[in-house]
mmCIF file of all heavy atoms in Angstrom:
data_model
loop_
_atom_site.group_PDB
_atom_site.id
_atom_site.type_symbol
_atom_site.label_atom_id
_atom_site.label_comp_id
_atom_site.label_asym_id
_atom_site.label_seq_id
_atom_site.Cartn_x
_atom_site.Cartn_y
_atom_site.Cartn_z
ATOM 1 N N GLY A 1 101.536 302.842 94.903
ATOM 2 C CA GLY A 1 100.786 304.037 95.131
ATOM 3 C C GLY A 1 101.765 305.226 95.320
ATOM 4 O O GLY A 1 102.862 305.033 95.954
ATOM 5 N N CYS A 2 101.428 306.340 94.824
ATOM 6 C CA CYS A 2 102.257 307.522 94.887
ATOM 7 C C CYS A 2 101.488 308.644 95.575
ATOM 8 O O CYS A 2 100.223 308.710 95.461
ATOM 9 C CB CYS A 2 102.692 308.032 93.486
ATOM 10 S SG CYS A 2 103.708 306.774 92.632
ATOM 11 N N GLU A 3 102.180 309.483 96.303
ATOM 12 C CA GLU A 3 101.553 310.563 97.003
ATOM 13 C C GLU A 3 100.965 311.627 96.082
ATOM 14 O O GLU A 3 99.912 312.248 96.398
ATOM 15 C CB GLU A 3 102.529 311.229 97.984
ATOM 16 C CG GLU A 3 102.804 310.382 99.187
ATOM 17 C CD GLU A 3 103.634 311.061 100.223
ATOM 18 O OE1 GLU A 3 103.570 312.307 100.267
ATOM 19 O OE2 GLU A 3 104.320 310.372 100.968
ATOM 20 N N ILE A 4 101.639 311.949 95.018
ATOM 21 C CA ILE A 4 101.293 313.087 94.174
ATOM 22 C C ILE A 4 101.540 312.767 92.719
ATOM 23 O O ILE A 4 102.312 311.900 92.320
ATOM 24 C CB ILE A 4 102.158 314.291 94.628
ATOM 25 C CG1 ILE A 4 101.570 315.548 94.014
ATOM 26 C CG2 ILE A 4 103.640 314.108 94.279
ATOM 27 C CD1 ILE A 4 102.203 316.841 94.637
ATOM 28 N N GLY A 5 100.803 313.454 91.899
ATOM 29 C CA GLY A 5 100.939 313.324 90.466
ATOM 30 C C GLY A 5 100.407 314.593 89.741
ATOM 31 O O GLY A 5 99.799 315.446 90.361
ATOM 32 N N TRP A 6 100.734 314.656 88.523
ATOM 33 C CA TRP A 6 100.269 315.794 87.680
ATOM 34 C C TRP A 6 99.735 315.214 86.382
ATOM 35 O O TRP A 6 100.385 314.380 85.737
ATOM 36 C CB TRP A 6 101.411 316.720 87.359
ATOM 37 C CG TRP A 6 101.948 317.439 88.567
ATOM 38 C CD1 TRP A 6 101.557 318.651 89.074
ATOM 39 C CD2 TRP A 6 102.916 316.942 89.482
ATOM 40 N NE1 TRP A 6 102.276 318.959 90.223
ATOM 41 C CE2 TRP A 6 103.118 317.923 90.458
ATOM 42 C CE3 TRP A 6 103.725 315.819 89.473
ATOM 43 C CZ2 TRP A 6 104.041 317.743 91.495
ATOM 44 C CZ3 TRP A 6 104.660 315.658 90.509
ATOM 45 C CH2 TRP A 6 104.818 316.621 91.469
ATOM 46 N N GLU A 7 98.623 315.622 85.989
ATOM 47 C CA GLU A 7 97.988 315.245 84.704
ATOM 48 C C GLU A 7 98.834 315.813 83.620
ATOM 49 O O GLU A 7 99.308 316.939 83.692
ATOM 50 C CB GLU A 7 96.585 315.788 84.730
ATOM 51 C CG GLU A 7 95.774 315.457 83.453
ATOM 52 C CD GLU A 7 94.420 316.060 83.563
ATOM 53 O OE1 GLU A 7 94.288 317.349 83.678
ATOM 54 O OE2 GLU A 7 93.434 315.280 83.553
ATOM 55 N N ILE A 8 99.049 315.032 82.559
ATOM 56 C CA ILE A 8 99.733 315.529 81.341
ATOM 57 C C ILE A 8 98.666 315.458 80.202
ATOM 58 O O ILE A 8 98.110 314.451 79.965
ATOM 59 C CB ILE A 8 100.885 314.723 80.939
ATOM 60 C CG1 ILE A 8 101.981 314.653 82.083
ATOM 61 C CG2 ILE A 8 101.528 315.199 79.649
ATOM 62 C CD1 ILE A 8 103.093 313.705 81.862
ATOM 63 N N LYS A 9 98.407 316.667 79.599
ATOM 64 C CA LYS A 9 97.462 316.727 78.479
ATOM 65 C C LYS A 9 98.130 317.488 77.384
ATOM 66 O O LYS A 9 98.665 318.581 77.614
ATOM 67 C CB LYS A 9 96.186 317.453 78.845
ATOM 68 C CG LYS A 9 95.354 316.644 79.808
ATOM 69 C CD LYS A 9 94.663 315.447 79.107
ATOM 70 C CE LYS A 9 93.676 314.762 80.055
ATOM 71 N NZ LYS A 9 93.200 313.551 79.551
ATOM 72 N N ARG A 10 98.242 316.874 76.178
ATOM 73 C CA ARG A 10 98.777 317.571 75.007
ATOM 74 C C ARG A 10 100.194 318.155 75.269
ATOM 75 O O ARG A 10 100.502 319.281 74.894
ATOM 76 C CB ARG A 10 97.843 318.613 74.413
ATOM 77 C CG ARG A 10 96.543 318.006 73.862
ATOM 78 C CD ARG A 10 95.598 319.046 73.391
ATOM 79 N NE ARG A 10 94.992 319.850 74.373
ATOM 80 C CZ ARG A 10 94.085 319.484 75.266
ATOM 81 N NH1 ARG A 10 93.676 318.242 75.257
ATOM 82 N NH2 ARG A 10 93.591 320.321 76.207
ATOM 83 N N GLY A 11 101.033 317.357 75.995
ATOM 84 C CA GLY A 11 102.400 317.755 76.239
ATOM 85 C C GLY A 11 102.625 318.750 77.322
ATOM 86 O O GLY A 11 103.702 319.378 77.397
ATOM 87 N N ARG A 12 101.598 319.069 78.132
ATOM 88 C CA ARG A 12 101.737 320.046 79.238
ATOM 89 C C ARG A 12 101.264 319.480 80.573
ATOM 90 O O ARG A 12 100.242 318.769 80.607
ATOM 91 C CB ARG A 12 100.915 321.308 78.916
ATOM 92 C CG ARG A 12 101.444 321.954 77.680
ATOM 93 C CD ARG A 12 100.781 323.262 77.421
ATOM 94 N NE ARG A 12 101.725 324.031 76.613
ATOM 95 C CZ ARG A 12 101.833 325.329 76.695
ATOM 96 N NH1 ARG A 12 101.150 325.998 77.581
ATOM 97 N NH2 ARG A 12 102.648 325.922 75.888
ATOM 98 N N LEU A 13 101.952 319.861 81.613
ATOM 99 C CA LEU A 13 101.543 319.472 82.968
ATOM 100 C C LEU A 13 100.258 320.262 83.267
ATOM 101 O O LEU A 13 100.157 321.424 83.031
ATOM 102 C CB LEU A 13 102.592 319.796 83.985
ATOM 103 C CG LEU A 13 103.855 318.958 83.990
ATOM 104 C CD1 LEU A 13 104.834 319.415 85.095
ATOM 105 C CD2 LEU A 13 103.530 317.458 84.194
ATOM 106 N N GLY A 14 99.282 319.483 83.866
ATOM 107 C CA GLY A 14 98.001 320.107 84.207
ATOM 108 C C GLY A 14 97.712 320.017 85.654
ATOM 109 O O GLY A 14 98.634 320.240 86.519
ATOM 110 N N ARG A 15 96.504 319.635 86.012
ATOM 111 C CA ARG A 15 96.074 319.667 87.385
ATOM 112 C C ARG A 15 96.844 318.709 88.290
ATOM 113 O O ARG A 15 97.380 317.698 87.845
ATOM 114 C CB ARG A 15 94.565 319.426 87.464
ATOM 115 C CG ARG A 15 94.155 318.058 87.045
ATOM 116 C CD ARG A 15 92.628 317.905 86.970
ATOM 117 N NE ARG A 15 92.305 316.612 86.459
ATOM 118 C CZ ARG A 15 91.739 315.658 87.122
ATOM 119 N NH1 ARG A 15 91.338 315.886 88.402
ATOM 120 N NH2 ARG A 15 91.474 314.509 86.606
ATOM 121 N N LEU A 16 96.946 319.106 89.567
ATOM 122 C CA LEU A 16 97.512 318.309 90.600
ATOM 123 C C LEU A 16 96.673 317.142 90.954
ATOM 124 O O LEU A 16 95.463 317.319 91.113
ATOM 125 C CB LEU A 16 97.842 319.195 91.807
ATOM 126 C CG LEU A 16 98.666 318.643 92.935
ATOM 127 C CD1 LEU A 16 100.079 318.339 92.449
ATOM 128 C CD2 LEU A 16 98.700 319.622 94.101
ATOM 129 N N LEU A 17 97.225 315.978 91.138
ATOM 130 C CA LEU A 17 96.497 314.736 91.526
ATOM 131 C C LEU A 17 97.040 314.190 92.768
ATOM 132 O O LEU A 17 98.229 314.353 93.113
ATOM 133 C CB LEU A 17 96.571 313.689 90.429
ATOM 134 C CG LEU A 17 96.216 314.169 89.001
ATOM 135 C CD1 LEU A 17 96.608 313.203 87.949
ATOM 136 C CD2 LEU A 17 94.672 314.444 88.898
ATOM 137 N N LYS A 18 96.204 313.427 93.561
ATOM 138 C CA LYS A 18 96.719 312.764 94.758
ATOM 139 C C LYS A 18 96.348 311.325 94.721
ATOM 140 O O LYS A 18 95.412 310.909 94.042
ATOM 141 C CB LYS A 18 96.180 313.484 96.051
ATOM 142 C CG LYS A 18 94.734 313.384 96.235
ATOM 143 C CD LYS A 18 94.349 314.053 97.587
ATOM 144 C CE LYS A 18 92.914 313.732 97.903
ATOM 145 N NZ LYS A 18 92.519 314.294 99.236
ATOM 146 N N ASP A 19 97.132 310.518 95.505
ATOM 147 C CA ASP A 19 96.910 309.122 95.685
ATOM 148 C C ASP A 19 96.824 308.394 94.290
ATOM 149 O O ASP A 19 95.939 307.573 94.024
ATOM 150 C CB ASP A 19 95.571 308.811 96.455
ATOM 151 C CG ASP A 19 95.646 309.410 97.853
ATOM 152 O OD1 ASP A 19 96.768 309.472 98.421
ATOM 153 O OD2 ASP A 19 94.564 309.807 98.340
ATOM 154 N N CYS A 20 97.791 308.666 93.457
ATOM 155 C CA CYS A 20 97.913 307.981 92.173
ATOM 156 C C CYS A 20 98.403 306.553 92.348
ATOM 157 O O CYS A 20 99.232 306.306 93.213
ATOM 158 C CB CYS A 20 98.868 308.771 91.247
ATOM 159 S SG CYS A 20 98.449 310.481 91.027
ATOM 160 N N THR A 21 98.011 305.656 91.555
ATOM 161 C CA THR A 21 98.479 304.291 91.547
ATOM 162 C C THR A 21 98.757 303.842 90.162
ATOM 163 O O THR A 21 98.285 304.290 89.186
ATOM 164 C CB THR A 21 97.429 303.305 92.126
ATOM 165 O OG1 THR A 21 96.302 303.324 91.309
ATOM 166 C CG2 THR A 21 97.061 303.713 93.599
ATOM 167 N N PHE A 22 99.668 302.810 90.070
ATOM 168 C CA PHE A 22 99.908 302.104 88.824
ATOM 169 C C PHE A 22 100.138 300.667 89.162
ATOM 170 O O PHE A 22 100.637 300.331 90.208
ATOM 171 C CB PHE A 22 101.031 302.716 87.959
ATOM 172 C CG PHE A 22 102.450 302.699 88.649
ATOM 173 C CD1 PHE A 22 103.320 301.712 88.314
ATOM 174 C CD2 PHE A 22 102.786 303.669 89.576
ATOM 175 C CE1 PHE A 22 104.605 301.688 88.876
ATOM 176 C CE2 PHE A 22 104.033 303.655 90.144
ATOM 177 C CZ PHE A 22 104.948 302.651 89.854
ATOM 178 N N SER A 23 99.731 299.791 88.239
ATOM 179 C CA SER A 23 99.863 298.337 88.487
ATOM 180 C C SER A 23 100.085 297.618 87.196
ATOM 181 O O SER A 23 99.937 298.157 86.082
ATOM 182 C CB SER A 23 98.575 297.839 89.176
ATOM 183 O OG SER A 23 97.450 298.079 88.329
ATOM 184 N N GLY A 24 100.537 296.350 87.336
ATOM 185 C CA GLY A 24 100.738 295.566 86.152
ATOM 186 C C GLY A 24 101.444 294.271 86.449
ATOM 187 O O GLY A 24 101.585 293.841 87.578
ATOM 188 N N ILE A 25 101.855 293.652 85.339
ATOM 189 C CA ILE A 25 102.684 292.426 85.378
ATOM 190 C C ILE A 25 104.088 292.805 84.988
ATOM 191 O O ILE A 25 104.269 293.426 83.920
ATOM 192 C CB ILE A 25 102.118 291.352 84.481
ATOM 193 C CG1 ILE A 25 100.644 291.031 84.710
ATOM 194 C CG2 ILE A 25 102.964 290.045 84.472
ATOM 195 C CD1 ILE A 25 100.338 290.435 86.091
ATOM 196 N N SER A 26 105.078 292.499 85.782
ATOM 197 C CA SER A 26 106.434 293.097 85.607
ATOM 198 C C SER A 26 107.021 293.019 84.187
ATOM 199 O O SER A 26 107.362 294.064 83.641
ATOM 200 C CB SER A 26 107.398 292.429 86.602
ATOM 201 O OG SER A 26 107.056 292.834 87.932
ATOM 202 N N PRO A 27 107.043 291.813 83.524
ATOM 203 C CA PRO A 27 107.696 291.837 82.226
ATOM 204 C C PRO A 27 106.899 292.734 81.184
ATOM 205 O O PRO A 27 107.501 293.425 80.430
ATOM 206 C CB PRO A 27 107.611 290.323 81.777
ATOM 207 C CG PRO A 27 107.560 289.622 83.077
ATOM 208 C CD PRO A 27 106.748 290.465 84.010
ATOM 209 N N ALA A 28 105.599 292.663 81.233
ATOM 210 C CA ALA A 28 104.831 293.466 80.334
ATOM 211 C C ALA A 28 104.965 294.982 80.620
ATOM 212 O O ALA A 28 105.050 295.811 79.728
ATOM 213 C CB ALA A 28 103.360 293.067 80.371
ATOM 214 N N PHE A 29 105.032 295.361 81.934
ATOM 215 C CA PHE A 29 105.249 296.724 82.329
ATOM 216 C C PHE A 29 106.500 297.213 81.795
ATOM 217 O O PHE A 29 106.595 298.313 81.160
ATOM 218 C CB PHE A 29 105.164 296.779 83.869
ATOM 219 C CG PHE A 29 105.507 298.159 84.382
ATOM 220 C CD1 PHE A 29 104.580 299.189 84.410
ATOM 221 C CD2 PHE A 29 106.766 298.401 84.926
ATOM 222 C CE1 PHE A 29 104.854 300.415 84.884
ATOM 223 C CE2 PHE A 29 107.077 299.617 85.465
ATOM 224 C CZ PHE A 29 106.138 300.643 85.431
ATOM 225 N N TRP A 30 107.641 296.562 82.051
ATOM 226 C CA TRP A 30 108.964 297.017 81.597
ATOM 227 C C TRP A 30 109.043 297.063 80.087
ATOM 228 O O TRP A 30 109.757 297.932 79.526
ATOM 229 C CB TRP A 30 110.060 296.210 82.245
ATOM 230 C CG TRP A 30 110.183 296.554 83.693
ATOM 231 C CD1 TRP A 30 109.745 295.767 84.750
ATOM 232 C CD2 TRP A 30 110.661 297.736 84.264
ATOM 233 N NE1 TRP A 30 109.991 296.442 85.934
ATOM 234 C CE2 TRP A 30 110.515 297.681 85.656
ATOM 235 C CE3 TRP A 30 111.215 298.898 83.722
ATOM 236 C CZ2 TRP A 30 110.935 298.715 86.545
ATOM 237 C CZ3 TRP A 30 111.620 299.948 84.595
ATOM 238 C CH2 TRP A 30 111.477 299.781 85.978
ATOM 239 N N ALA A 31 108.358 296.169 79.384
ATOM 240 C CA ALA A 31 108.386 296.191 77.945
ATOM 241 C C ALA A 31 107.705 297.436 77.396
ATOM 242 O O ALA A 31 107.916 297.769 76.246
ATOM 243 C CB ALA A 31 107.717 294.916 77.405
ATOM 244 N N ARG A 32 106.865 298.089 78.151
ATOM 245 C CA ARG A 32 106.193 299.277 77.723
ATOM 246 C C ARG A 32 106.879 300.565 78.032
ATOM 247 O O ARG A 32 106.358 301.652 77.785
ATOM 248 C CB ARG A 32 104.799 299.295 78.375
ATOM 249 C CG ARG A 32 103.881 298.216 77.914
ATOM 250 C CD ARG A 32 102.504 298.265 78.560
ATOM 251 N NE ARG A 32 101.659 297.246 77.932
ATOM 252 C CZ ARG A 32 101.136 296.236 78.595
ATOM 253 N NH1 ARG A 32 101.339 296.082 79.902
ATOM 254 N NH2 ARG A 32 100.360 295.398 77.969
ATOM 255 N N CYS A 33 108.149 300.478 78.515
ATOM 256 C CA CYS A 33 108.901 301.677 78.789
ATOM 257 C C CYS A 33 109.456 302.179 77.404
ATOM 258 O O CYS A 33 110.220 301.400 76.727
ATOM 259 C CB CYS A 33 110.075 301.328 79.708
ATOM 260 S SG CYS A 33 111.130 302.739 80.083
ATOM 261 N N ASP A 34 109.190 303.407 77.097
ATOM 262 C CA ASP A 34 109.699 303.950 75.827
ATOM 263 C C ASP A 34 110.547 305.206 75.974
ATOM 264 O O ASP A 34 110.996 305.786 74.993
ATOM 265 C CB ASP A 34 108.518 304.162 74.849
ATOM 266 C CG ASP A 34 107.667 305.362 75.230
ATOM 267 O OD1 ASP A 34 107.788 305.905 76.308
ATOM 268 O OD2 ASP A 34 106.861 305.764 74.360
ATOM 269 N N ALA A 35 110.786 305.707 77.171
ATOM 270 C CA ALA A 35 111.641 306.856 77.386
ATOM 271 C C ALA A 35 112.152 306.882 78.860
ATOM 272 O O ALA A 35 111.364 306.498 79.794
ATOM 273 C CB ALA A 35 110.906 308.151 77.151
ATOM 274 N N VAL A 36 113.387 307.184 79.041
ATOM 275 C CA VAL A 36 114.002 307.263 80.390
ATOM 276 C C VAL A 36 114.708 308.637 80.428
ATOM 277 O O VAL A 36 115.548 308.916 79.588
ATOM 278 C CB VAL A 36 114.971 306.140 80.658
ATOM 279 C CG1 VAL A 36 115.676 306.260 82.003
ATOM 280 C CG2 VAL A 36 114.292 304.746 80.557
ATOM 281 N N ALA A 37 114.454 309.423 81.450
ATOM 282 C CA ALA A 37 115.017 310.733 81.575
ATOM 283 C C ALA A 37 116.503 310.712 81.844
ATOM 284 O O ALA A 37 117.073 309.720 82.260
ATOM 285 C CB ALA A 37 114.317 311.525 82.732
ATOM 286 N N ASN A 38 117.160 311.824 81.524
ATOM 287 C CA ASN A 38 118.607 311.908 81.690
ATOM 288 C C ASN A 38 119.049 312.189 83.111
ATOM 289 O O ASN A 38 118.234 312.319 84.036
ATOM 290 C CB ASN A 38 119.138 312.944 80.695
ATOM 291 C CG ASN A 38 118.651 314.335 80.953
ATOM 292 O OD1 ASN A 38 118.248 314.693 82.049
ATOM 293 N ND2 ASN A 38 118.667 315.136 79.897
ATOM 294 N N ARG A 39 120.404 312.261 83.322
ATOM 295 C CA ARG A 39 120.956 312.361 84.653
ATOM 296 C C ARG A 39 120.514 313.573 85.401
ATOM 297 O O ARG A 39 120.477 313.535 86.638
ATOM 298 C CB ARG A 39 122.479 312.398 84.504
ATOM 299 C CG ARG A 39 123.190 312.424 85.803
ATOM 300 C CD ARG A 39 124.466 311.663 85.715
ATOM 301 N NE ARG A 39 124.983 310.840 86.750
ATOM 302 C CZ ARG A 39 124.400 309.977 87.507
ATOM 303 N NH1 ARG A 39 123.148 309.785 87.499
ATOM 304 N NH2 ARG A 39 125.057 309.252 88.398
ATOM 305 N N SER A 40 120.070 314.622 84.756
ATOM 306 C CA SER A 40 119.679 315.832 85.503
ATOM 307 C C SER A 40 118.391 315.601 86.334
ATOM 308 O O SER A 40 118.157 316.371 87.254
ATOM 309 C CB SER A 40 119.408 317.054 84.511
ATOM 310 O OG SER A 40 118.337 316.735 83.724
ATOM 311 N N SER A 41 117.706 314.550 86.082
ATOM 312 C CA SER A 41 116.493 314.258 86.847
ATOM 313 C C SER A 41 116.676 313.083 87.880
ATOM 314 O O SER A 41 115.766 312.642 88.540
ATOM 315 C CB SER A 41 115.354 313.802 85.895
ATOM 316 O OG SER A 41 115.008 314.864 85.009
ATOM 317 N N PHE A 42 117.904 312.577 87.986
ATOM 318 C CA PHE A 42 118.189 311.441 88.893
ATOM 319 C C PHE A 42 118.010 311.836 90.365
ATOM 320 O O PHE A 42 118.478 312.889 90.773
ATOM 321 C CB PHE A 42 119.599 310.931 88.658
ATOM 322 C CG PHE A 42 119.923 309.722 89.492
ATOM 323 C CD1 PHE A 42 119.601 308.469 89.068
ATOM 324 C CD2 PHE A 42 120.518 309.834 90.772
ATOM 325 C CE1 PHE A 42 119.939 307.333 89.797
ATOM 326 C CE2 PHE A 42 120.857 308.705 91.546
ATOM 327 C CZ PHE A 42 120.498 307.496 91.055
ATOM 328 N N ARG A 43 117.297 311.001 91.149
ATOM 329 C CA ARG A 43 117.111 311.231 92.549
ATOM 330 C C ARG A 43 117.248 309.885 93.269
ATOM 331 O O ARG A 43 116.884 308.817 92.732
ATOM 332 C CB ARG A 43 115.809 311.852 92.865
ATOM 333 C CG ARG A 43 115.675 313.255 92.411
ATOM 334 C CD ARG A 43 114.573 313.981 93.031
ATOM 335 N NE ARG A 43 113.307 313.563 92.458
ATOM 336 C CZ ARG A 43 112.132 314.029 92.909
ATOM 337 N NH1 ARG A 43 112.085 314.906 93.865
ATOM 338 N NH2 ARG A 43 111.030 313.641 92.322
ATOM 339 N N LEU A 44 117.724 309.901 94.526
ATOM 340 C CA LEU A 44 117.833 308.701 95.349
ATOM 341 C C LEU A 44 116.825 308.759 96.480
ATOM 342 O O LEU A 44 116.776 309.785 97.119
ATOM 343 C CB LEU A 44 119.279 308.554 95.925
ATOM 344 C CG LEU A 44 119.526 307.299 96.718
ATOM 345 C CD1 LEU A 44 119.430 306.079 95.845
ATOM 346 C CD2 LEU A 44 120.931 307.388 97.273
ATOM 347 N N TYR A 45 116.031 307.730 96.618
ATOM 348 C CA TYR A 45 114.984 307.694 97.628
ATOM 349 C C TYR A 45 115.291 306.564 98.598
ATOM 350 O O TYR A 45 115.797 305.542 98.215
ATOM 351 C CB TYR A 45 113.573 307.407 97.045
ATOM 352 C CG TYR A 45 113.005 308.491 96.134
ATOM 353 C CD1 TYR A 45 113.198 308.411 94.775
ATOM 354 C CD2 TYR A 45 112.305 309.503 96.729
ATOM 355 C CE1 TYR A 45 112.649 309.406 93.940
ATOM 356 C CE2 TYR A 45 111.706 310.462 95.922
ATOM 357 C CZ TYR A 45 111.943 310.454 94.537
ATOM 358 O OH TYR A 45 111.356 311.444 93.794
ATOM 359 N N GLY A 46 114.984 306.787 99.879
ATOM 360 C CA GLY A 46 115.120 305.719 100.846
ATOM 361 C C GLY A 46 113.696 305.091 101.096
ATOM 362 O O GLY A 46 112.688 305.805 101.118
ATOM 363 N N ILE A 47 113.704 303.792 101.291
ATOM 364 C CA ILE A 47 112.480 303.048 101.517
ATOM 365 C C ILE A 47 112.658 302.187 102.761
ATOM 366 O O ILE A 47 113.764 301.532 102.910
ATOM 367 C CB ILE A 47 112.112 302.175 100.324
ATOM 368 C CG1 ILE A 47 111.839 303.071 99.127
ATOM 369 C CG2 ILE A 47 110.843 301.356 100.596
ATOM 370 C CD1 ILE A 47 111.656 302.310 97.790
ATOM 371 N N PRO A 48 111.679 302.139 103.702
ATOM 372 C CA PRO A 48 111.944 301.448 104.979
ATOM 373 C C PRO A 48 112.193 299.958 104.880
ATOM 374 O O PRO A 48 112.885 299.397 105.675
ATOM 375 C CB PRO A 48 110.641 301.699 105.765
ATOM 376 C CG PRO A 48 109.986 302.811 105.078
ATOM 377 C CD PRO A 48 110.425 302.832 103.644
#
């Protein structure tokens, strides 16, 4: 679950969303990755 999200329609960010979720089976999920952003978007998060 994520705190925040933005709708993407026709290549543009749209309305603000809350309580977004995503789910799946790990191997199938990772096989569906078709783009990874470059270093300018890298962030480090801490998790408890």
